[in-house]
Amino acid sequence: MRIANIAGRTTLLDGSGGGLDIEKASDGRFPAEPQALFELWDELREWAATHTDRTDFAVDLDSLEAPTPSPRQVFGVGLNYAEHIAESKMGRPDAPAVFTKFPSCIAGPTAVISLPSPNVDWEVELVVAIGRRAWCASEDDAWNHVAGLMVGQDLSERVVQLAGPVPQFSLGKSFPGFAPVGPALVTADEVTDPNDLELGCRLGDEVLQLGRTRDLIFTVPELVARLSAICPLLPGDIIFTGTPSGVGVARDPKRFLPPGGVLTSHIEGLGELRNEFVAGPTYRSA
Ligand code: ZN
């Protein structure tokens, strides 16, 4: 099942360019509002299984918004790929390094994003959305709590993120637009192996990152188990699972996103984000 957000209405995609408005097609049984649908995830999956061949309209991929526009909790995980740890000159963590991205930073898959400074970096990531409340979930049961998967960018303003005696990860990663996700929410059964997907991003034609999710140190089941041992994970919450190597801050010289740049981020089987950047009102060129 592939679910998209079109103009604030949840839409079932048929995989060949067609869409079905879920609220209308279900005669109001399911709400149009994307974030509310996660409370009825199991019922929706059952209903959608009998409606996969129906389409109402052709979907304009440029019109898609974030499939999870307003989650109650957004988790980020740092240092979760060995090569990214090495380029960051950090040690391998014993437990996931967790921060939040405040939900006001969520953006759609084709959002035009304002750069607050010349120090904004890219981090392509697999994003997991929760479908069924998880509290002290076991690793074996973890995938049963996952609604689906998305492509995400954990955009990061590196000066704010790393300033001060205790780095400010949550602030540096939460400017408006710093969490584009999408293009659709894809259930795990739609991909060949949800534990091993190619992911990458490019600026224009230049490849910046390319990796595979099989290299995650803390896997999706481990993250669900470890996070839910502390915070109950709520329907519609999302987890940014970490980025592979190739970020700009680790390069010599350092590189960041330029105004006018177009960043394309992909994950095998999930689709791609295409985000253009513009200079925000406070931007000063480096
Ligand atoms: Zn990240």
Side-chain angles (χ1 to χ4, degrees), residues 79-87 92 215-217 245:
L79 303 175
N80 205 14
Y81 286 84
E83 286 180 19
H84 176 56
I85 293 172
E87 73 178 354
R92 191 178 170 113
D215 294 326
L216 282 166
I217 293 171
S245 60

Side-chain angles (χ1 to χ4, degrees), residues 30-273:
F30 297 105
E33 205 273 308
Q35 204 66 44
L37 207 58
F38 290 94
E39 303 290 346
L40 298 167
W41 193 255
D42 289 332
E43 294 92 320
L44 176 69
R45 286 213 64 172
E46 219 168 274
W47 176 86
T50 62
H51 291 76
T52 44
D53 56 348
R54 286 187 52 189
T55 50
D56 276 347
F57 55 90
V59 173
D60 172 8
L61 291 176
D62 287 337
S63 72
L64 302 185
E65 299 175 18
T68 54
S70 51
R72 286 169 284 188
Q73 306 184 96
V74 181
F75 299 91
V77 180
L79 303 175
N80 205 14
Y81 286 84
E83 286 180 19
H84 176 56
I85 293 172
E87 73 178 354
S88 305
K89 301 184 170 57
M90 305 288 278
R92 191 178 170 113
D94 298 326
V98 177
F99 54 89
T100 190
K101 290 171 80 73
F102 296 106
S104 58
C105 71
I106 289 178
T110 59
V112 175
I113 298 168
S114 285
L115 294 171
S117 80
N119 306 303
V120 178
D121 205 347
W122 51 83
E123 293 192 357
V124 67
E125 305 197 6
L126 175 69
V127 175
V128 173
I130 298 298
R132 210 182 274 165
R133 188 179 189 274
W135 168 234
C136 299
S138 68
E139 285 182 36
D140 286 346
D141 190 34
W143 276 112
N144 294 325
H145 294 272
V146 172
L149 306 170
M150 300 182 286
V151 187
Q153 264 290 340
D154 176 20
L155 296 170
S156 305
E157 208 283 1
R158 298 300 191 194
V159 173
V160 173
Q161 179 192 341
L162 301 170
V166 180
Q168 299 272 21
F169 275 49
S170 298
L171 284 180
K173 290 166 174 279
S174 290
F175 285 89
F178 270 29
V181 291
L185 182 71
V186 180
T187 51
D189 60 300
E190 293 265 340
V191 295
T192 317
D193 180 355
N195 296 303
D196 182 19
L197 301 170
E198 182 188 283
L199 76 172
C201 68
R202 61 185 194 271
L203 185 64
D205 293 331
E206 180 191 3
V207 175
L208 299 172
Q209 293 185 280
L210 194 61
R212 298 199 70 90
T213 61
R214 68 171 177 233
D215 294 326
L216 282 166
I217 293 171
F218 298 103
T219 63
V220 169
E222 282 179 281
L223 291 174
V224 169
R226 284 173 176 263
L227 289 170
S228 76
I230 298 173
C231 301
L233 304 181
L234 309 174
D237 285 355
I238 60 175
I239 305 167
F240 281 74
T241 57
T243 198
S245 60
V247 299
V249 73
R251 295 173 185 234
D252 185 16
K254 293 177 176 30
R255 284 184 58 192
F256 298 109
L257 291 163
V262 176
L263 184 67
T264 305
S265 312
H266 79 275
I267 299 181
E268 178 186 353
L270 305 185
E272 61 181 36
L273 314 176

Side-chain angles (χ1 to χ4, degrees), residues 8-32:
R9 298 185 65 87
T10 313
T11 304
L12 184 63
L13 303 181
D14 69 359
S16 49
L20 183 70
D21 184 290
I22 288 176
E23 192 265 343
K24 287 180 190 162
S26 71
D27 294 324
R29 179 176 166 199
F30 297 105

